Amino acid sequence: MTLVVIGPVTEDLIIIGEEESRKVGGATYFQSFVFEEFYNDYLAVVNCSDESLIRDFPSKDKVKVVLKDDTHFFINRYPFEDNLDIREQISNFADIPILKSDLEDILPDEIDAFVINPLNRHDFPSETIDYLKSFNVPIFLSVQGFLRMPLDEVNENYTIKLEDFDEFSDILKGVTSIFLDEGELNIIGLDFDVDEIVVTDGSRGSRIIGDGEIKIDAVKCEDVVDTTGCGDTYMAAYITQKILLKNSKIAGDFASSIASRKIENFGPYNSN
């Protein structure tokens, strides 16, 4: 059985204070390092225009590329080196949807669950979401991408704002778990037909809302180096333990620990 992780790979510019670096990124990219370590039977499906972007994945033979005519580009700027919870984000809003026809011939025969990582509202049309739901396996969904829209008054192509939209309830209907931060939760609320809502809040920890609410403390870092991809790392670590142990508290504590270790190093999670 295979865990199938779907979402764009990106070209990223990371700016921390005055330091700049260019990296491969995207939620699926960051998550693949966690799954490689803790859930080895996984498949990453990414959409982009440049197949060479998978060069930095931990296991290239576990990645399938859906070639499109553009690639997501993000600038993640952290203006305060002493507070990496604060991020300014810019995107090119690439319109490169993952279609049902893109997936039909590449998905494995037996699937444990889907992890869906949209980076903007274009990535997963409702027809694609409905197709993935038809497999009747757990679906873990990162919410943020569906809320991203261009902030028109600054630059219609780049600067990001977050807003709800009418079709969101239908997209979430029947999804097992959704992952978002406190700011995104304030936008969409709690009234959705999902089993579990996992809400992160940076250095303030996280909480898991299901039958009740579980508070997860953040694991303190010795040195905060790079928070880009921290939420994606938390999500992947949570999913591995939730599937294997079916215990939200254990999964949350584990995810907090792994996310903390990721923050202490630049780039994706590294067990070393």
Side-chain angles (χ1 to χ4, degrees), residues 168-196:
F168 201 41
S169 293
D170 290 335
I171 288 173
L172 296 188
K173 190 175 298 182
V175 167
T176 307
S177 301
I178 61 173
F179 295 76
L180 69 170
D181 66 24
E182 290 286 355
E184 293 149 7
L185 182 65
N186 288 336
I187 293 172
I188 69 170
L190 286 169
D191 188 19
F192 294 105
D193 183 19
V194 297
D195 294 340
E196 192 171 66

Side-chain angles (χ1 to χ4, degrees), residues 63-213:
V63 185
K64 291 190 181 293
V65 179
V66 177
L67 284 174
K68 298 290 182 175
D69 59 4
D70 200 359
T71 296
H72 285 274
F73 173 70
F74 281 85
I75 299 174
N76 294 310
R77 180 173 179 268
Y78 300 90
F80 306 108
E81 294 183 66
D82 59 348
N83 186 0
L84 297 186
D85 280 345
I86 298 175
R87 177 177 70 175
E88 298 170 358
Q89 195 169 51
I90 293 171
S91 172
N92 64 342
F93 284 89
D95 188 357
I96 49 172
I98 300 172
L99 306 175
K100 175 185 175 183
S101 57
D102 294 325
L103 300 174
E104 287 176 322
D105 294 331
I106 62 176
L107 293 181
D109 293 332
E110 296 186 352
I111 297 171
D112 278 335
F114 288 112
V115 181
I116 302 176
N117 295 308
L119 296 184
N120 67 35
R121 206 169 291 181
H122 303 304
D123 285 326
F124 287 88
S126 58
E127 294 82 1
T128 304
I129 298 292
D130 289 343
Y131 172 61
L132 298 178
K133 289 177 181 177
S134 73
F135 286 79
N136 294 314
V137 299
I139 293 177
F140 301 93
L141 171 65
S142 174
V143 163
Q144 185 181 70
F146 280 120
L147 304 181
R148 284 179 174 141
M149 292 293 289
L151 186 59
D152 299 329
E153 59 267 29
V154 177
N155 184 313
E156 64 181 1
N157 293 319
Y158 285 92
T159 303
I160 293 172
K161 64 180 177 180
L162 300 178
E163 64 178 34
D164 200 355
F165 66 112
D166 293 340
E167 297 82 9
F168 201 41
S169 293
D170 290 335
I171 288 173
L172 296 188
K173 190 175 298 182
V175 167
T176 307
S177 301
I178 61 173
F179 295 76
L180 69 170
D181 66 24
E182 290 286 355
E184 293 149 7
L185 182 65
N186 288 336
I187 293 172
I188 69 170
L190 286 169
D191 188 19
F192 294 105
D193 183 19
V194 297
D195 294 340
E196 192 171 66
I197 300 173
V198 182
V199 188
T200 57
D201 196 17
S203 60
R204 289 169 290 278
S206 55
R207 54 194 179 113
I208 303 159
I209 303 167
D211 293 334
E213 180 171 321

